[in-house]
Amino acid sequence: MPGADKEADLTERIEAFLADLKRGGCGTGPIRGSGETARETTALLRKVTAQARWSSAGDLMEIIRKEGRRMTAAQPSETTVGNMVLRVLKIIREEYARSRGSSEETDQQESLHKLLTSGGLSEENFRQHFVHLKANVIEAINELLTELDGTTDNIAMQALEHIHSNEVIMTVGRSRTVEAFLKDAARKRKFHVIVAECAPFCQGHEMATNLSKASIETTVIADAAIFAVMSRVNKVIIGTQTVLANGGLRAVNGTHTVALAARHHSTPLIVCAPMFKLSPQFPNEEDTFHKFVSPHEVLPFTEGEILSKVNVHCPVFDYVPPELITLFISNIGGNAPSYIYRLMSELYHPEDHDL
Amino acid sequence: MADCGEPDGPGNKDDITRSKNEGKELSKEEKQRLRKQKKQQKKQKERKNEKSETEKEKTPVSLLPPPRPVATQKAPSALPAPASAPIPVPASAPFHSSPAPSPADKPAKSKAELKAERRARQETDRAAKQPGSSSSGIKTKVPLSELNPVVKRLPEHVQVDDPAVVKRLAKKLERQQIPLRSDYGYKVSLFSHLHQYSRKAPLTQQLSIPSTVIHPSIVRLGLQYSQGIVAGSNARSVALLHAFKQVIRDYTTPPNEELSRDLVNKLKPYISFLNQCRPLSASMGNAIKYIKKEISNIPSQCKEEEAKTKLLTCIDRYIEEKIVLAAKAISKYAIEKISDGDVILVYGCSSLVNNILCEAFEKSRKFRVIVVDSRPRLEGREALRRLVQRGISCTYVLISALSYILPEVSKVFLGAHALLANGYVMSRVGTSQIALVARTFNVPVLVCCETYKFCEKVQTDSFVSNELDDPDDLMVTRKGKTQLENWQDVSSLGLLNLVYDVTPPDFVDLVITDLGMIPCTSVPVVLRVKNLDQ
């Protein structure tokens, strides 16, 4: 039966995606960049919407929630997957509300007034069936995909507003967004970039080679020299893995040191992060915040006898509090960290925050 | 400006270029004055005309007494201008008429002859000068000598971008028969005033073995320094002192020479050689100063054998007092600061800090240690081995994981390479970062440093005076790929491998020295007390 084939095909694709996610857990980062992960997730969700059997919005949301839980469980540190699931859920809610004819604002936030007057849970249960809901949802997801395709270019377009000539810019590790940002600015301005190599994975080396191929004056420094050279740096531009709900960052390890050094020298810290990295998580879950990889990167097995007597840690991420950040540059423009909560409310629905 | 220039004779290149530079600076201010005084000085001009060729070189040199550091070049040239009325007038007039005298005579005279002529002229000039002008001559000398103690001579190794200084160093090394080490690789523009050497090209490759000029133990020491076999402030100083002991043992005073003077002169090329292999550390500088002082204090009637044994015991005593006993004293103070249940963070491999931890462990304090390490030197692994061997429980992380590990830490112990006179701590690169992050997490930072590492230098950032290590060390091969393999071929790519950095005193809570526990800002007090003692 064609239906069964399609379903099998869909399941296969989901399984392949999950396997990729699980494998991408080594320290050098996922096999794909986070942009590609986001696109892949959204494409999969579109397929699920198109091929799965559902009759009302509520059913669809249940199916997507189920798949979403499986995907986030495969690699909890890869938050873009969960973010995309939340985006799709929000799209479904919006399309449902539009089909029903009610304005979008009414069931948006929980105000105290609403809590008192409605007296209990919202009666909205998404059980109504609408004929064109499927088409609308798929169209909206296509729009989302187009938006995802253009994020890096949107961010790179803003580069000239933030970089003047003869600047010294510092960056940490490797971020495709920052690379595009700097390359775009280099077309018109001349500046100098200092890249901190970010041991033990040394992704900064790849970043430096790519930047120098675009004829940008690049210098590679060891992590230990970050504070030493910070006094000559005009701006720090970094990428991040996740933007947390309070405006803080979960970024590659070493970023907190860079942020502190920048604060000490009153150097602005600019974070280039597309909106799909914004996650509704807060940083206070101690045991789930950090991710560790094999300590052999830090102390190789060749060290011999002392290995059994020593604890070796190799954390991958660092928490950067929002007070140290000056500006977020995303595909929808520049924002202060204090505005992040507002952006979150536009992207995700509060009831979806816990999948 | 060009009219003041004298054509370069092949024999007198050095003197003439020097005086040409100074002549140019003077002529700007002088020209207007000369035009005014021209009519008055016609008689003297005629008298001095015959000596005009040589005086042009002489007067700028005599107005600018010997130390000619870069900083003071402008100052002396400005001083003679206001007070210059009588003196340079006889000679300044020839400035104005400089194109006139025949340049053809110049190439014929050799440097030595010029020197002799100059000296003769100076004598006659001094006799010929009127009392009024001679007093103003002294007047110009006085402010210059006042300047000298304030402006010290800049060390050569921070003036690599000045070609005059580099040429002077090359000449000095040539005289001492030591090869000059050439810089390697693309230097980041911020550091173009420093040397950058490659470890693959040690200085000894350019020496003939066996070297007649340099003692073999010094050659060996230089090689050990440049290859990083002997590293660490204390280790380098002790190795240096032992090598000098061997030199003294093998030394014999040549006839008609005094041991006190000749031995110091013998040591000079060795020190240049070691400086070329790897720039001297502050502790080594202090040790060398001490040895030179001891040698010059040897009374001339002392017999050679006696003098040599005296020197050897002096050196042994220095090592014993300043390094070994100081370490014991510091351990005693530091152990008071370690309590049971402490989690202590250390960075890199400091012999003193390792000593303290081992002693504390012997005295049955219960603590555990976190060793922080950084690429590319990875010295922390050595410290880890030493501590684990004693049985101390250790954790090991890289410096990028500092923010993760600091919430567990109760104290930070750091070693120092030198303590500067303005309270800044000069230590291995990365130390300032650790102090910064520790301060953010409110963890106390204690620096342990012996007093012989205190130095009179002042520095506020890590750029003006630092050491650049081999840039190839930053390359790393991961999963079979070396990203930076061909960094030399890419013109816009540079690698920076700093060795030292300075930590501001507000990050450091306490400095433990053999004189006690002092705040960072008391370093100049200790230096003054030490100078009074000596």
Side-chain angles (χ1 to χ4, degrees), chain A residues 223-245:
Chain A
D223 296 331
I226 287 175
F227 185 72
V229 303
M230 183 59 81
S231 51
R232 294 293 172 276
V233 172
N234 298 120
K235 280 194 179 76
V236 181
I237 302 182
I238 56 177
T240 174
Q241 203 262 356
T242 309
V243 179
L244 299 166

Side-chain angles (χ1 to χ4, degrees), chain B residues 86-131:
Chain B
I87 313 153
V89 157
S92 61
F95 263 76
H96 197 65
S97 62
S98 59
S102 51
D105 297 354
K106 214 71 62 11
K109 296 191 183 140
S110 76
K111 205 162 60 165
E113 288 178 72
L114 270 179
K115 251 192 189 160
E117 274 184 321
R118 225 185 300 147
R119 225 160 257 153
R121 304 276 177 258
Q122 275 183 354
E123 300 303 315
T124 49
D125 216 31
R126 231 170 267 148
K129 269 183 198 158
Q130 295 165 13

Side-chain angles (χ1 to χ4, degrees), chain A residues 169-189:
Chain A
I169 296 177
M170 175 179 273
T171 182
V172 181
R174 171 145 194 256
S175 163
R176 290 171 190 77
T177 317
V178 175
E179 203 180 304
F181 190 81
L182 293 175
K183 279 185 180 165
D184 197 275
R187 286 188 295 126
K188 300 267 176 65
R189 305 265 155 89

Side-chain angles (χ1 to χ4, degrees), chain A residues 182-237:
Chain A
L182 293 175
K183 279 185 180 165
D184 197 275
R187 286 188 295 126
K188 300 267 176 65
R189 305 265 155 89
K190 271 234 140 318
F191 52 89
H192 190 126
V193 177
I194 299 181
V195 182
E197 66 177 1
C198 212
F201 310 113
C202 295
Q203 294 198 305
H205 293 189
E206 202 179 333
M207 177 86 157
T209 17
N210 292 346
L211 287 177
S212 56
K213 286 202 189 107
S215 318
I216 303 177
E217 283 285 329
T218 321
T219 305
V220 179
I221 61 167
D223 296 331
I226 287 175
F227 185 72
V229 303
M230 183 59 81
S231 51
R232 294 293 172 276
V233 172
N234 298 120
K235 280 194 179 76
V236 181
I237 302 182

